[in-house]
Amino acid sequence: MRKNPVTPARRTALLCAVAVVVLFVLATFSLTHSDIPMSVSVALRALVGSGDGGSVLVVQEFLAPRVAAGIVAGAGLGVAGSLLQRLFRNPLASPDVMGITGGASFGAVSLLAVGASQLLIPLGALAGGLLAALLLGVFAWRSGLSVTRLVLVGLAVQAGLAAAVNFMVVRFPAELAGSALQWTTGSLYGRTWTEVWAAAGATLVFLAVAFCLHRRLAVLDLGDESAGALGMNTSVVRLQLLVTAIVLASLAASVSGPVGFVALAVPHLVRFVAGPPTLGTLALTGLTGAVLLLASDLVVQHLLPVEGLPVGAVTATLGAPFLLALMIRQGRPVDRSTA
């Protein structure tokens, strides 16, 4: 009797289930392995406010916000990278390469510089991300969205805004410099529920928007002429998708700083293991982004000999060769002798 083959939808559903399990394991490990080790049962009870006061304080105020920030930022970055790569039909398009995360960092640090409330940090990050997108459009749109021009202008915008962030950090009073330092490389250390809840709520809303727009994005994948023939206003849909991706990336940066590599690599990884993009693979992309960022944070905390290293340093170390390989592949001439 022949066995039913595994369909792409079933494979994607299975991979999503595996990602959820891995994410739960990583989160549990993060809660139980800290400067104050505790058992799984103690950590889970403390998470819901049960148990001794010391465990509840450590888990609820120090460990859980860090884990939640990693999940929120990773999911937002993964989905934002997927949207941008499909929207521009460019495997190099991602928030960090295009300067969006640098703009988000600039906006957040600017609010820190004027003493704004932590609740306003996501709004500052969003404004900075929109500023970076505006600069990218002004300098890259005139000659079309070629791969080379988009990447070069994006890297220039990212570098310029990062320099502005570094300048503000250096000029900060000593008591503010520490809280602003995460915006130079990206870090999950010291997250608070005030920051996480604000960003998480908005991220959930725009993740829902991204899923609602997926069918329109699938029509855009057919090409502008085909989409227009089906009655779609391609300019409006592209703007909707672009704004959604920018908001997701900016919100992620508001709780993690400019973490690189995640938004660039996760969509490629998901396409490799799950195949062509579908609504299921978009969900898998968000889960994989959360897994990658949370795993990178655990590497920082437990496997590296350097104490206090930000998670952005780990993801950037992984991302540099990945980006180089992608750029080499994009620049390689096509061999038409066998075509």
Side-chain angles (χ1 to χ4, degrees):
M1 187 174 179
R2 290 171 54 186
K3 295 182 179 180
N4 292 329
V6 178
T7 63
R10 289 183 178 179
R11 182 173 65 247
T12 302
L14 177 61
L15 290 170
C16 286
V18 171
V20 169
V21 172
V22 173
L23 192 59
F24 177 78
V25 171
L26 292 175
T28 303
F29 188 91
S30 297
L31 295 177
T32 56
H33 292 73
S34 64
D35 293 337
I36 305 176
M38 60 186 74
S39 66
V40 174
S41 60
V42 170
L44 293 180
R45 286 200 304 268
L47 184 62
V48 297
S50 178
D52 66 276
S55 298
V56 172
L57 176 66
V58 170
V59 171
Q60 290 193 349
E61 298 301 322
F62 299 104
L63 301 180
R66 183 169 185 163
V67 172
I71 294 173
V72 170
L77 287 172
V79 172
S82 178
L83 292 179
L84 290 174
Q85 289 177 13
R86 291 180 64 186
L87 182 61
F88 291 108
R89 299 186 182 93
N90 183 346
L92 295 174
S94 72
D96 40 322
V97 174
M98 297 172 64
I100 295 172
T101 53
S105 299
F106 175 78
V109 172
S110 298
L111 285 188
L112 284 175
V114 298
S117 168
Q118 291 288 339
L119 284 173
L120 297 178
I121 297 301
L123 293 178
L126 175 59
L130 292 172
L131 172 63
L134 178 62
L135 293 174
L136 184 66
V138 169
F139 293 110
W141 226 278
R142 290 178 300 177
S143 299
L145 293 176
S146 67
V147 173
T148 302
R149 186 173 183 85
L150 185 68
V151 171
L152 290 178
V153 172
L155 290 175
V157 170
Q158 180 84 355
L161 292 172
V165 170
N166 288 331
F167 175 78
M168 285 190 286
V169 170
V170 171
R171 300 293 297 177
F172 270 170
E175 61 271 16
L176 290 178
S179 61
L181 189 59
Q182 65 151 324
W183 301 105
T184 62
T185 53
S187 175
L188 299 176
Y189 175 77
R191 298 303 91 215
T192 65
W193 282 120
T194 300
E195 298 168 302
V196 173
W197 282 126
T203 297
L204 285 176
V205 170
F206 279 90
L207 284 175
V209 172
F211 283 102
C212 291
L213 291 174
H214 181 267
R215 180 171 295 182
R216 299 182 184 182
L217 180 56
V219 175
L220 275 182
D221 287 340
L222 301 175
D224 287 356
E225 292 185 3
S226 298
L230 293 173
M232 175 179 288
N233 188 329
T234 57
S235 298
V236 172
V237 174
R238 285 184 183 278
L239 181 61
Q240 292 172 339
L241 290 164
L242 181 60
V243 170
T244 301
I246 291 171
V247 171
L248 285 172
S250 300
L251 290 170
S254 73
V255 294
S256 67
V259 175
F261 175 68
V262 176
L264 176 67
V266 166
H268 291 276
L269 177 62
V270 170
R271 281 194 294 271
F272 178 75
V273 298
T278 63
L279 195 60
T281 60
L282 188 63
L284 180 60
T285 301
L287 290 170
T288 305
V291 167
L292 179 59
L293 188 54
L294 206 55
S296 298
D297 193 46
L298 286 174
V299 169
V300 165
Q301 295 180 68
H302 302 289
L303 296 183
L304 295 181
V306 181
E307 186 176 355
L309 193 68
V311 67
V314 174
T315 58
T317 301
L318 295 173
F322 188 87
L323 176 59
L324 181 60
L326 275 179
M327 293 186 71
I328 293 174
R329 183 179 178 183
Q330 286 298 302
R332 185 177 299 162
V334 177
D335 183 7
R336 303 184 183 274
S337 60
T338 58

